[in-house]
Amino acid sequence: MLKKISAVVLGGLMVTALAACGGDDGAGSGSGNDDGKITLGFAQVGAESGWRTANTKSVQDSAKEAGIDLQFSDAQQKQENQIKAIRSYITQKVDVIAFSPVVESGWDTVLREAKDAKIPVILTDRAIDSPDKTLYKTFIGSDFVLEGKKAGEWLVTEYQGKTEPVNIVELQGSTGSAPANDRKAGFADVIKADPKFKVVASQTGEFTRAKGKEVMDAFLKANKDIDVLYAHNDDMGLGAIEAIEGAGLKPGVDIKIITVDAVKDGMQALADGKINFIVECSPLLGPQLMDLVKKVVAGETVPERVVTEETTFTQEQAKAALPNRQY
Ligand code: GZL
């Protein structure tokens, strides 16, 4: 919906007609399309993983399905690019802004600019650490602490009754991101109950396969007896599998592997026995996001937090689920 300013000059007389059809509090002054469609500005993190690719597809397909005009940007995992994109959406006077914050901090200034411009903001996928809840309408995404706990609980069960030390290496997600911070915290919170579990190395693999392989190579050189790898996403786990095989070891057997996401490539490695357990993190946020966009533009109240439903997979469950995986 657009607020359209048109200047009409009649015989030297200049009349400015202002036709406004904005949201509830004038939210969203629109971005110039006259067909009354909602314009959504979406600032995506990047294209770092299979999960992100699936998430982008879900947002783009759902916007088309919902008849929402999508302005989309890819920040290549850089916060300054996301901030630039959000500022450009403010200038364009879109109706709503949605984004997945690449890191938790540093958003208050630009979100205050959006608020001053009366453009509502929706957080998707990742949260921010600002105490000012008025800077965004809602946050739709997974509970990453719970995902870390699920990973830890599988490990506790797997090593039930054993007493010898269990040496764990951890490939963290992007430094400062909510999934990296929370998946690390949830996992640590569960394994701290049993002193046999020891995280002997923990470093970011930036959520990518290449970096996951590189860091796992270094872990293998520095630590002789690694029992378990906990990777914050499938892509880093898949990169680590290359490093483990390159070191002449059997992934899933010599080194047990737990990952998060459950994208198709990860599920295939799980079914093949190279990964032992995957905690699902659904990227298919598009349909719910578009529903929230429409509600926000219509001035309806929306819940402060929308948690996405997800499960976990063992090797057997992966074999059964693979044929129907959407991503
Ligand atoms: C989680 C998402 C993470 C995925 C990674 O919701 O932010 O970012 O787990 C992706 O695969 O790169």
Side-chain angles (χ1 to χ4, degrees), residues 48-49 51-52 125-126 144 179 183 207 232-233 261 281:
E48 73 282 3
S49 62
W51 190 98
R52 189 63 57 197
D125 168 28
R126 298 182 182 179
F144 301 130
R183 285 171 185 167
F207 280 134
H232 292 183
N233 81 334
D261 276 351
C281 174

Side-chain angles (χ1 to χ4, degrees), residues 171 208-214 216 234-244:
L171 285 170
T208 69
R209 278 195 203 203
K211 195 71 182 170
K213 179 182 183 307
E214 181 191 314
M216 190 66 202
D234 294 347
D235 287 65
M236 294 188 292
L238 293 163
I241 284 170
E242 290 175 47
I244 292 166

Side-chain angles (χ1 to χ4, degrees), residues 52-305:
R52 189 63 57 197
T53 306
N55 179 247
T56 290
K57 186 174 184 311
S58 177
V59 168
Q60 291 175 333
D61 291 354
S62 303
K64 201 175 290 170
E65 178 74 23
I68 287 173
D69 174 24
L70 179 68
Q71 307 292 314
F72 184 90
S73 63
D74 170 335
Q76 282 105 38
Q77 293 216 81
K78 291 186 176 61
Q79 181 173 29
E80 65 267 22
N81 290 345
Q82 279 194 303
I83 291 173
K84 270 193 213 121
I86 291 169
R87 287 200 166 115
S88 81
Y89 296 144
I90 294 170
T91 308
Q92 289 174 52
K93 296 186 169 50
V94 299
D95 295 297
V96 194
I97 292 169
F99 75 116
S100 168
V102 63
V103 291
E104 288 190 295
S105 312
W107 300 101
D108 285 42
T109 304
V110 72
L111 293 185
R112 227 169 266 125
E113 291 166 21
K115 186 178 175 185
D116 293 346
K118 293 191 176 310
I119 300 177
V121 172
I122 294 174
L123 300 185
T124 82
D125 168 28
R126 298 182 182 179
I128 62 175
D129 61 7
S130 170
D132 185 352
K133 301 286 179 218
T134 69
L135 293 176
Y136 54 91
K137 290 289 183 187
T138 183
F139 163 42
I140 173 174
S142 304
D143 178 340
F144 301 130
V145 173
L146 179 60
E147 290 173 347
K149 286 183 185 284
K150 288 177 182 177
E153 282 153 11
W154 179 85
L155 198 62
V156 167
T157 307
E158 185 68 13
Y159 282 88
Q160 197 80 46
K162 301 221 171 63
T163 52
E164 66 275 12
V166 180
N167 294 327
I168 303 161
V169 293
E170 180 179 27
L171 285 170
Q172 296 181 39
S174 313
T175 303
S177 69
N181 294 338
D182 293 353
R183 285 171 185 167
K184 182 172 184 350
F187 182 77
D189 190 47
V190 168
I191 66 168
K192 72 183 179 201
D194 188 332
K196 71 171 177 269
F197 294 117
K198 228 162 111 12
V199 179
V200 297
S202 180
Q203 195 179 322
T204 184
E206 295 169 5
F207 280 134
T208 69
R209 278 195 203 203
K211 195 71 182 170
K213 179 182 183 307
E214 181 191 314
V215 176
M216 190 66 202
D217 272 330
F219 284 165
L220 287 161
K221 288 187 178 67
N223 302 278
K224 283 301 143 242
D225 48 353
I226 297 171
D227 300 299
V228 175
L229 163 65
Y230 169 45
H232 292 183
N233 81 334
D234 294 347
D235 287 65
M236 294 188 292
L238 293 163
I241 284 170
E242 290 175 47
I244 292 166
E245 289 174 331
L249 298 170
K250 277 175 75 65
V253 179
D254 299 326
I255 295 180
K256 295 201 184 310
I257 300 179
I258 309 163
T259 67
V260 185
D261 276 351
V263 295
K264 210 167 266 178
D265 290 350
M267 293 287 274
Q268 188 59 62
L270 180 61
D272 296 344
K274 295 188 176 183
I275 291 178
N276 300 84
F277 187 69
I278 298 186
V279 177
E280 186 184 40
C281 174
S282 177
L284 305 181
L285 306 178
Q288 285 174 289
L289 172 60
M290 298 313 148
D291 182 49
L292 289 166
V293 163
K294 288 183 174 173
K295 287 196 166 92
V296 162
V297 170
E300 292 172 33
T301 48
V302 291
E304 191 183 300
R305 177 81 170 84

